[in-house]
């Protein structure tokens, strides 16, 4: 089943985000290579493709896991969690409809 994982950045965490980004992207690349990633990306903190020093308000990942517990376990092991970037992570089932 597909799951939506939404990480919410804490305040002033851009430096931690940039430092943990390579490890975060490595895990996403592995999901993609396994054919389990629908989409992933950050949410700019301002209305701009490149928010610069404003940073990001969080990230969204939609990926396939065998269960909600497995999706939560994967999300909890994210390098952004370990680095203190995310102050909250929501994981919920997702049903793709369009396109």
């Amino acid at each position: 089943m597909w799951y939506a994982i939404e990480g919410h950045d804490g305040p002033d965490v851009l430096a931690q985000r940039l430092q943990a980004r390579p490890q975060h992207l490595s895990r996403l690349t592995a999901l993609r290579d396994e054919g389990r990633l629908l989409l992933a990306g950050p949410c700019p903190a301002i209305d701009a493709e490149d928010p610069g020093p404003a940073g990001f308000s969080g990230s969204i990942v939609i990926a396939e896991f065998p269960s909600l517990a497995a999706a939560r376990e994967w999300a909890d092991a994210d390098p952004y969690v370990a680095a203190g970037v995310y102050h909250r992570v929501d994981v919920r089932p997702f049903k793709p409809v369009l396109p």
Side-chain angles (χ1 to χ4, degrees), residues 22-32 73-75 77-79:
Q23 295 84 9
H24 173 79
L25 290 178
S26 177
R27 296 177 80 232
L28 293 171
T29 299
L31 282 180
R32 182 202 63 201
E73 183 178 329
W74 186 90
D78 194 294

Side-chain angles (χ1 to χ4, degrees), residues 4-9 59 61 71-78 80-82 85-92:
I5 300 168
E6 186 172 8
H8 302 269
D9 285 21
S59 303
V61 174
R72 283 189 175 139
E73 183 178 329
W74 186 90
D76 288 345
D78 194 294
Y80 283 171
V81 171
V85 174
Y86 293 156
H87 74 95
R88 186 177 98 232
V89 178
D90 298 323
V91 181
R92 57 192 181 275

Side-chain angles (χ1 to χ4, degrees), residues 4 47 53 55 80 95:
D47 189 12
Y80 283 171
K95 182 178 178 181

